[in-house]
Amino acid sequence: MSTLFFYTKQQFFNFKSTQTAEGFEFLSMSKLLSSQRIDELDECQQYYVDISSMVALVIADDSQLLNFEQLCGSFGGNITFICDKAYEADTKYLLRNVFDDFSDVEAESDETLAEKEEMLSTKPDSVKKITNLDDSELKSFFENFNTRLYGHERFKKEFKELVNSFRVFNRLGEHKILSLFLMGDSGVGKTEVARSIHKALGSKAKLAKINFGNYSSHDALNSLIGSPLGYIGSDGGELLKRVHESDVGLILIDEFEKADNAVFNYFLDVLENGKIVNSQAEEYDVSGYIIVFTSNITKENFKSKISPELRSRFDYKGMFNLLTDVDKKKFVHFRVNQIISKYREFVSADIPDKLHDNVVAEIDVPRYTNMRDLNKKIKDTFVSLIKT
Ligand SMILES: Nc1ncnc2c1ncn2[C@@H]1O[C@H](COP(=O)(O)OP(=O)(O)O)[C@@H](O)[C@H]1O
Ligand SMILES: [Mg+2]
């Protein structure tokens, strides 16, 4: 007599992979019976025998119960019985004379499996894409985008033309994804382009972002789309996860030059087919999406690093330069006002006279060749002046 263990659907694959790693072999009852393997079982091997199918049979036709009771009694101690928890209530009653105890397997439940199923059923219809906006939504998208992103006027103009064409040809099935490849020094606003699109599309969720600077290079593709099926701990990959979490049709790929050839080829496919496919063959339709790739490489390295096929796939390739002093000044005014109004709202309405002008006066704009440093200087100056 023995214990019957129940597993849930979310636990099963985790359970199976950890137990297999520990040397257990899994057999289903029907397989065992049809191949007459009972006599052939190795006495030194530990087995899990899944009786779910047998239980389903007994529930439907309890005249099978006698056979089943006899059968279970004929196994040795190297067998542990398991069963789908969906049958728990019926099983406990019907097999009350077969097992002396009932319990649950100990295994992490695969939350991502449940989450994924849920997300797949709610998406992708609810995703807000540039291709789905009506004319007035599109107008306010551009207004919003253009005020968020300072300077980069030429890019803004080209971006608008690209979007207008994309909206037409995406509908004709000829242009799946709008891809932007932004190069240039650090801190000039490349990533800010994606943040601004994200906000202008009205997202209330996290930006779907992959940063290849965070990946170790030799298994970048595995991190991105998951390791091949059957590997212990294999998952669906970060890309699909991030895309599922987002509510708008935008993906940011930061520090793209740090990826490897396998990844480059993968994205060539994505841009061509408008689909994200992971190692477990799950597909997600990303037609109508914008993908922003950013990179710190120079124009020369761009050619040696990225294949001609992929280069020609990008709809926009451009160098981002540091904002002009005029635009930097506009940025400073805007940031200082923004900080002051937040401070009023969250901290105190009591601020020194002429705070805005005094902060601005202390910042020597032309000195800054990186917007991150400029932003830090604005913050530091604000803090020093609010204290006195
Ligand atoms: N053109 C810009 N308009 C508004 N903010 C900007 C702009 N450029 C840079 N910033 C600000 O400067 C910081 C660095 O910019 P970021 O886009 O992250 O740089 P990178 O080019 O390295 O991706 C960000 O915090 C961003 O808010
Ligand atoms: Mg960046």
Side-chain angles (χ1 to χ4, degrees), residues 145-152 156 182-196 209 252 254 294-296 320-323 327 331 334-335 370-376 379:
F145 176 76
N146 290 337
T147 40
R148 281 177 187 281
L149 185 74
Y150 281 76
H152 302 304
K156 283 176 182 169
L182 311 179
M183 291 168 275
D185 292 335
S186 179
V188 295
K190 300 183 301 294
T191 302
E192 193 64 23
V193 169
R195 290 190 203 106
S196 303
K209 166 175 163 171
L252 167 63
D254 251 344
T294 79
S295 169
N296 289 340
F320 260 48
N321 297 315
L322 184 64
L323 296 189
D327 285 325
F331 176 74
F334 164 82
R335 273 296 282 158
N370 178 321
M371 297 293 286
R372 232 173 253 124
D373 298 340
L374 182 59
N375 198 18
K376 182 166 186 306
K379 287 184 184 169

Coordinates of all heavy atoms in Angstrom, one line a residue, residues 145-152 156 182-196 209 252 254 294-296 320-323 327 331 334-335 370-376 379, ligand 1:
F145 N 4.9 63.3 -28.9 CA 6.3 62.9 -29.2 C 7.2 64.0 -29.4 O 8.3 64.1 -28.8 CB 6.3 62.0 -30.4 CG 7.6 61.5 -30.8 CD1 8.3 60.5 -30.1 CD2 8.3 62.0 -31.9 CE1 9.5 60.0 -30.5 CE2 9.6 61.6 -32.2 CZ 10.2 60.6 -31.5
N146 N 6.8 65.0 -30.2 CA 7.7 66.1 -30.5 C 8.0 67.0 -29.3 O 9.1 67.6 -29.2 CB 7.1 66.9 -31.7 CG 7.2 66.2 -33.0 OD1 8.0 65.2 -33.1 ND2 6.3 66.5 -33.9
T147 N 7.0 67.1 -28.4 CA 7.4 68.0 -27.2 C 8.2 67.2 -26.2 O 9.0 67.8 -25.5 CB 6.1 68.5 -26.5 OG1 5.1 67.4 -26.5 CG2 5.5 69.7 -27.1
R148 N 8.1 65.9 -26.2 CA 8.9 65.1 -25.2 C 10.3 65.1 -25.6 O 11.2 65.2 -24.8 CB 8.4 63.7 -25.1 CG 7.2 63.6 -24.2 CD 6.7 62.2 -24.2 NE 5.4 62.2 -23.5 CZ 5.3 62.2 -22.2 NH1 6.4 62.2 -21.4 NH2 4.2 62.2 -21.6
L149 N 10.6 64.9 -26.9 CA 11.9 64.7 -27.4 C 12.4 66.1 -27.8 O 11.9 66.7 -28.8 CB 12.0 63.7 -28.6 CG 13.4 63.4 -29.1 CD1 14.1 62.5 -28.1 CD2 13.3 62.8 -30.4
Y150 N 13.5 66.6 -27.2 CA 14.0 67.9 -27.6 C 15.0 67.8 -28.8 O 15.7 66.7 -28.9 CB 14.8 68.5 -26.4 CG 13.8 69.1 -25.4 CD1 13.1 68.3 -24.6 CD2 13.6 70.5 -25.4 CE1 12.1 68.8 -23.7 CE2 12.7 71.0 -24.5 CZ 11.9 70.2 -23.7 OH 11.0 70.7 -22.9
G151 N 15.0 68.8 -29.6 CA 15.9 68.8 -30.7 C 15.7 67.7 -31.7 O 14.5 67.2 -31.9
H152 N 16.7 67.2 -32.4 CA 16.7 66.1 -33.4 C 15.6 66.4 -34.4 O 14.8 65.5 -34.7 CB 16.5 64.8 -32.7 CG 17.5 64.4 -31.7 ND1 18.9 64.4 -32.0 CD2 17.4 64.1 -30.3 CE1 19.6 64.0 -30.9 NE2 18.7 63.9 -29.9
K156 N 12.9 63.9 -36.5 CA 11.5 64.0 -36.2 C 10.7 64.1 -37.5 O 9.7 63.4 -37.7 CB 11.2 65.2 -35.4 CG 11.5 65.0 -33.9 CD 11.2 66.3 -33.2 CE 11.5 66.3 -31.7 NZ 11.5 67.6 -31.1
L182 N 19.3 53.6 -34.4 CA 19.9 54.9 -33.9 C 21.3 54.7 -33.4 O 21.5 54.0 -32.4 CB 19.0 55.5 -32.9 CG 17.5 55.6 -33.2 CD1 16.7 56.2 -32.1 CD2 17.2 56.3 -34.5
M183 N 22.2 55.4 -34.0 CA 23.6 55.3 -33.6 C 24.0 56.6 -32.9 O 23.4 57.6 -33.2 CB 24.5 55.0 -34.8 CG 24.4 53.7 -35.4 SD 25.2 53.7 -37.0 CE 24.0 54.3 -38.1
G184 N 25.1 56.6 -32.3 CA 25.6 57.9 -31.7 C 26.2 57.7 -30.3 O 26.0 56.7 -29.7
D185 N 26.8 58.8 -29.9 CA 27.5 58.8 -28.6 C 26.4 58.6 -27.5 O 25.2 58.7 -27.7 CB 28.2 60.1 -28.3 CG 29.3 60.3 -29.2 OD1 29.9 59.3 -29.7 OD2 29.7 61.5 -29.5
S186 N 27.0 58.3 -26.3 CA 26.1 58.0 -25.1 C 25.5 59.3 -24.7 O 26.1 60.4 -24.7 CB 27.0 57.4 -24.0 OG 26.3 57.2 -22.9
G187 N 24.3 59.2 -24.2 CA 23.6 60.4 -23.6 C 23.2 61.5 -24.5 O 23.0 62.7 -24.2
V188 N 22.9 61.1 -25.8 CA 22.4 62.1 -26.7 C 20.9 62.0 -27.0 O 20.3 62.7 -27.8 CB 23.2 62.1 -28.1 CG1 24.6 62.5 -27.8 CG2 23.1 60.7 -28.7
G189 N 20.2 61.0 -26.4 CA 18.8 60.9 -26.6 C 18.3 59.7 -27.5 O 17.2 59.7 -27.9
K190 N 19.1 58.7 -27.7 CA 18.7 57.6 -28.5 C 17.6 56.8 -27.8 O 16.5 56.5 -28.4 CB 19.9 56.6 -28.8 CG 21.0 57.3 -29.5 CD 22.2 56.4 -29.9 CE 22.8 55.7 -28.7 NZ 23.5 56.7 -27.8
T191 N 17.9 56.4 -26.6 CA 16.9 55.6 -25.8 C 15.7 56.5 -25.6 O 14.5 56.0 -25.5 CB 17.5 55.1 -24.5 OG1 18.6 54.3 -24.8 CG2 16.5 54.3 -23.7
E192 N 15.9 57.8 -25.4 CA 14.8 58.7 -25.2 C 13.8 58.7 -26.3 O 12.6 58.9 -26.1 CB 15.4 60.1 -25.0 CG 14.4 61.1 -24.4 CD 13.9 60.8 -23.0 OE1 14.6 60.1 -22.3 OE2 12.8 61.3 -22.7
V193 N 14.2 58.4 -27.5 CA 13.3 58.2 -28.6 C 12.2 57.2 -28.3 O 11.0 57.4 -28.4 CB 14.0 57.9 -30.0 CG1 13.0 57.5 -31.0 CG2 14.9 59.1 -30.4
A194 N 12.7 56.0 -27.8 CA 11.8 54.9 -27.5 C 10.9 55.3 -26.3 O 9.7 55.1 -26.3 CB 12.6 53.7 -27.2
R195 N 11.5 56.0 -25.3 CA 10.7 56.4 -24.1 C 9.6 57.3 -24.6 O 8.4 57.2 -24.1 CB 11.5 57.0 -23.1 CG 12.5 56.1 -22.4 CD 13.2 56.8 -21.2 NE 14.4 56.2 -20.8 CZ 15.6 56.7 -21.1 NH1 15.7 57.9 -21.7 NH2 16.7 56.1 -20.8
S196 N 9.9 58.2 -25.5 CA 8.9 59.2 -26.0 C 7.8 58.5 -26.8 O 6.6 58.9 -26.6 CB 9.6 60.3 -26.8 OG 10.6 60.9 -26.0
K209 N 11.6 46.3 -23.2 CA 13.0 46.6 -23.5 C 14.0 45.4 -23.3 O 13.9 44.7 -22.3 CB 13.4 47.8 -22.5 CG 14.9 48.1 -22.5 CD 15.1 49.3 -21.6 CE 16.6 49.3 -21.2 NZ 16.9 50.6 -20.5
L252 N 12.0 48.1 -27.6 CA 13.3 48.8 -27.5 C 14.4 47.7 -27.4 O 14.4 46.9 -26.5 CB 13.4 49.8 -26.4 CG 14.8 50.3 -26.0 CD1 15.4 51.2 -27.2 CD2 14.7 51.2 -24.8
D254 N 18.2 47.8 -26.8 CA 19.4 48.7 -26.5 C 20.7 48.0 -26.6 O 20.8 46.8 -26.4 CB 19.2 49.2 -25.0 CG 18.8 50.7 -24.9 OD1 19.0 51.4 -25.9 OD2 18.4 51.1 -23.8
T294 N 19.1 50.7 -30.6 CA 20.1 51.7 -30.3 C 21.5 51.1 -30.2 O 21.6 49.9 -29.9 CB 19.8 52.5 -29.0 OG1 20.2 51.8 -27.9 CG2 18.3 52.9 -28.9
S295 N 22.5 51.9 -30.5 CA 23.8 51.4 -30.5 C 24.8 52.5 -30.4 O 24.6 53.6 -30.9 CB 24.1 50.6 -31.8 OG 25.4 50.3 -31.9
N296 N 25.9 52.3 -29.7 CA 26.9 53.3 -29.5 C 28.0 53.2 -30.6 O 29.0 53.9 -30.6 CB 27.6 53.2 -28.2 CG 26.7 53.6 -27.0 OD1 25.7 54.3 -27.2 ND2 27.0 53.1 -25.8
F320 N 22.8 60.0 -34.2 CA 22.3 61.0 -33.3 C 23.4 61.8 -32.8 O 24.4 61.3 -32.3 CB 21.5 60.3 -32.1 CG 20.1 60.3 -32.3 CD1 19.5 59.8 -33.6 CD2 19.2 60.7 -31.4 CE1 18.2 59.8 -33.8 CE2 17.8 60.7 -31.6 CZ 17.3 60.2 -32.8
N321 N 23.3 63.1 -32.9 CA 24.3 64.0 -32.4 C 23.8 64.7 -31.2 O 22.6 64.8 -31.0 CB 24.7 65.0 -33.5 CG 25.3 64.3 -34.7 OD1 26.1 63.4 -34.5 ND2 24.9 64.6 -35.9
L322 N 24.7 65.3 -30.4 CA 24.3 66.0 -29.3 C 23.5 67.2 -29.7 O 23.7 67.8 -30.7 CB 25.6 66.5 -28.6 CG 25.4 67.3 -27.2 CD1 24.8 66.4 -26.2 CD2 26.7 67.9 -26.8
L323 N 22.5 67.6 -28.8 CA 21.6 68.7 -29.1 C 22.5 70.0 -29.3 O 23.5 70.1 -28.6 CB 20.7 68.9 -28.0 CG 19.6 67.8 -27.7 CD1 18.6 68.3 -26.7 CD2 19.0 67.3 -29.0
D327 N 18.9 74.1 -28.2 CA 18.0 73.0 -27.7 C 18.3 72.5 -26.3 O 17.4 72.2 -25.5 CB 18.0 71.8 -28.7 CG 17.3 72.1 -30.0 OD1 16.3 72.8 -29.9 OD2 17.8 71.6 -31.0
F331 N 15.8 72.5 -23.1 CA 15.7 71.4 -22.3 C 15.8 71.7 -20.8 O 15.1 71.3 -19.9 CB 16.7 70.3 -22.7 CG 16.7 69.1 -21.8 CD1 15.7 68.1 -21.8 CD2 17.8 68.9 -20.9 CE1 15.8 67.0 -21.0 CE2 17.8 67.8 -20.0 CZ 16.8 66.8 -20.1
F334 N 12.8 73.5 -19.5 CA 11.7 72.6 -19.3 C 11.9 71.7 -18.1 O 11.0 71.6 -17.2 CB 11.6 71.7 -20.5 CG 10.8 70.4 -20.3 CD1 9.4 70.5 -20.4 CD2 11.4 69.2 -20.0 CE1 8.7 69.3 -20.2 CE2 10.7 68.1 -19.8 CZ 9.3 68.1 -19.9
R335 N 13.1 71.2 -17.9 CA 13.4 70.3 -16.8 C 13.2 71.0 -15.4 O 12.7 70.5 -14.5 CB 14.8 69.7 -16.9 CG 14.9 68.4 -17.7 CD 14.2 67.3 -17.0 NE 14.9 66.7 -15.9 CZ 14.2 66.0 -15.0 NH1 12.9 65.8 -15.0 NH2 14.9 65.5 -14.0
N370 N 26.8 65.7 -22.8 CA 26.0 64.5 -22.6 C 24.8 64.9 -21.8 O 24.9 65.6 -20.8 CB 26.9 63.5 -21.7 CG 26.2 62.2 -21.4 OD1 25.0 62.2 -21.0 ND2 27.0 61.1 -21.4
M371 N 23.6 64.5 -22.3 CA 22.4 65.0 -21.7 C 22.2 64.4 -20.3 O 21.5 65.0 -19.4 CB 21.2 64.6 -22.5 CG 21.2 65.2 -23.9 SD 21.0 67.0 -23.8 CE 19.2 67.1 -23.4
R372 N 22.8 63.2 -20.0 CA 22.7 62.6 -18.7 C 23.4 63.5 -17.7 O 22.9 63.8 -16.6 CB 23.3 61.3 -18.7 CG 22.4 60.2 -18.2 CD 23.0 58.8 -18.4 NE 22.3 58.1 -19.5 CZ 22.9 57.6 -20.5 NH1 24.2 57.7 -20.7 NH2 22.2 57.0 -21.4
D373 N 24.6 64.0 -18.1 CA 25.4 64.9 -17.2 C 24.6 66.2 -17.0 O 24.6 66.8 -15.9 CB 26.8 65.2 -17.7 CG 27.6 63.9 -17.9 OD1 27.2 62.9 -17.2 OD2 28.5 63.9 -18.7
L374 N 24.1 66.7 -18.0 CA 23.3 68.0 -17.9 C 22.1 67.8 -17.0 O 21.9 68.7 -16.1 CB 22.8 68.4 -19.3 CG 22.1 69.7 -19.4 CD1 23.0 70.9 -18.9 CD2 21.6 70.0 -20.9
N375 N 21.5 66.7 -17.1 CA 20.3 66.4 -16.3 C 20.7 66.3 -14.8 O 20.1 66.8 -13.9 CB 19.7 65.1 -16.7 CG 18.3 65.0 -16.2 OD1 17.6 65.9 -15.8 ND2 17.8 63.7 -16.2
K376 N 21.9 65.7 -14.6 CA 22.4 65.6 -13.2 C 22.8 67.0 -12.6 O 22.5 67.3 -11.5 CB 23.6 64.7 -13.2 CG 24.2 64.4 -11.8 CD 25.2 63.3 -11.8 CE 25.6 63.0 -10.4 NZ 26.2 64.1 -9.7
K379 N 19.7 68.7 -11.5 CA 19.2 68.2 -10.2 C 20.0 68.7 -9.1 O 19.5 69.2 -8.0 CB 19.2 66.7 -10.2 CG 18.2 66.0 -11.1 CD 18.3 64.5 -10.9 CE 17.4 63.7 -11.7 NZ 17.7 62.3 -11.7
Ligands
LIG1 N1 16.6 65.0 -27.0 C1 16.2 64.8 -25.7 N2 15.1 65.2 -25.2 C2 14.7 65.0 -23.9 N3 15.5 64.4 -23.0 C3 16.7 63.9 -23.5 C4 17.1 64.1 -24.8 N4 18.3 63.6 -24.9 C5 18.6 63.1 -23.7 N5 17.7 63.3 -22.8 C6 17.7 62.9 -21.4 O1 19.1 62.6 -21.1 C7 19.2 61.3 -20.6 C8 20.1 60.4 -21.4 O2 19.5 60.2 -22.7 P1 19.4 58.7 -23.3 O3 18.4 58.7 -24.4 O4 19.2 57.7 -22.3 O5 20.8 58.6 -23.9 P2 21.4 57.5 -25.0 O6 21.7 58.2 -26.3 O7 22.7 57.1 -24.4 O8 20.4 56.4 -25.1 C9 17.8 60.7 -20.4 O9 17.5 60.8 -19.0 C10 16.9 61.7 -21.1 O10 15.8 62.0 -20.3

